[in-house]
Amino acid sequence: MTNVGVPPVVDGTIHTATAAGIRIRIFVDFWNFTLGLKAQDSSFRPDWSKIGPLFTQKACDRISPGSTAIYEAMHVYGSFDGSKDANLRNWFTNFLDKQAGVHVEVVPRQKKRNPPKCPSCYEPVSTCPKCGSDMRGTEEKGVDTRIVTDMIKLAWANAYDAAILVTADRDFVPVAEFLQTKGIKVIHGAFPPGGSILSQKCWGHIDIPKFMSEFSR
């Protein structure tokens, strides 16, 4: 249903036709979302087949109650530790990415540049004194950039009318503000009170903990 042609632009604003309904795309920061769920209920197990259509309807009800909600796609962005997370990577690519409407982008986590410091003398500890293993942890790199790039690219391609952004990271405030100047409503998928700054800057928000039971396994 997505029109991937060049969208009409008037005075620098992207204009879309929504007579058939509100086309919604979901952009999910996987680890941020997962940690948010676990903070609410450590034993919670989401049914990923329900999340896209459910979140789409919740956002549509927030934007225009009674309008038709069109679930265009859900884009999930995550990372894995290449040395430890073979099962997770397999789940990303062979299960989640094959769900209807779901597109997964995953990147390998990278070793942190600096090792941890001793809490007593504050000297960097690069290797374990007992086994010699690298003490540096890993960190996620490039995921935020991919999310921002896709949100802007797909908006320019006239691929959605509203976005649901599922993260608590305030670094996404600029892209939310930018898209809204171009006529794209951004709905924050939130775990209040986390991400309150992003919720304030988005057009609106949906309170995920209030309907977790609706996408539980």
Side-chain angles (χ1 to χ4, degrees):
M1 298 185 68
T2 301
N3 174 13
V4 295
V6 177
V9 179
V10 180
D11 296 328
T13 299
I14 298 172
H15 293 268
T16 57
T18 58
I22 300 174
R23 301 169 303 150
I24 297 174
R25 283 183 183 261
I26 308 168
F27 300 86
V28 181
D29 181 337
F30 175 81
W31 284 114
N32 205 297
F33 178 51
T34 299
L35 292 173
L37 295 174
K38 294 300 182 184
Q40 297 294 318
D41 180 352
S42 61
S43 64
F44 185 80
R45 299 180 69 192
D47 183 339
W48 283 88
S49 68
K50 297 177 181 178
I51 291 174
L54 177 64
F55 282 31
T56 296
Q57 188 60 58
K58 297 293 185 183
C60 183
D61 292 344
R62 187 78 174 86
I63 296 167
S64 180
S67 295
T68 300
I70 301 174
Y71 169 43
E72 286 289 345
M74 178 166 65
H75 304 266
V76 181
Y77 305 82
S79 61
F80 62 93
D81 187 328
S83 63
K84 301 176 182 177
D85 292 340
N87 289 339
L88 177 62
R89 184 179 185 183
N90 182 65
W91 178 82
F92 274 132
T93 57
N94 293 318
F95 172 76
L96 187 58
D97 199 31
K98 293 181 179 179
Q99 300 303 301
V102 177
H103 306 280
V104 176
E105 291 280 349
V106 290
V107 296
R109 297 180 70 86
Q110 299 178 20
K111 283 287 186 182
K112 292 182 178 178
R113 180 174 298 179
N114 299 316
K117 294 182 179 180
C118 171
S120 296
C121 67
Y122 302 106
E123 280 295 311
V125 182
S126 58
T127 58
C128 173
K130 184 175 182 179
C131 70
S133 296
D134 192 335
M135 290 286 287
R136 293 175 300 163
T138 60
E139 59 186 347
E140 195 172 73
K141 288 285 189 180
V143 168
D144 290 3
T145 302
R146 288 173 184 240
I147 296 174
V148 170
T149 299
D150 283 353
M151 290 182 76
I152 294 173
K153 178 179 67 176
L154 290 165
W156 181 253
N158 192 21
Y160 63 94
D161 306 313
I164 304 171
L165 178 57
V166 183
T167 182
D169 194 337
R170 65 193 299 173
D171 289 346
F172 289 97
V173 165
V175 71
E177 292 183 322
F178 170 75
L179 288 173
Q180 288 167 151
T181 66
K182 302 302 179 184
I184 300 290
K185 290 182 172 65
V186 180
I187 303 297
H188 183 207
F191 290 90
S196 60
I197 299 298
L198 184 56
S199 288
Q200 291 169 16
K201 299 300 183 180
C202 286
W203 186 90
H205 76 279
I206 53 175
D207 191 338
I208 293 174
K210 289 184 176 179
F211 56 89
M212 281 172 58
S213 61
E214 298 181 49
F215 62 95
S216 175
R217 269 204 254 172

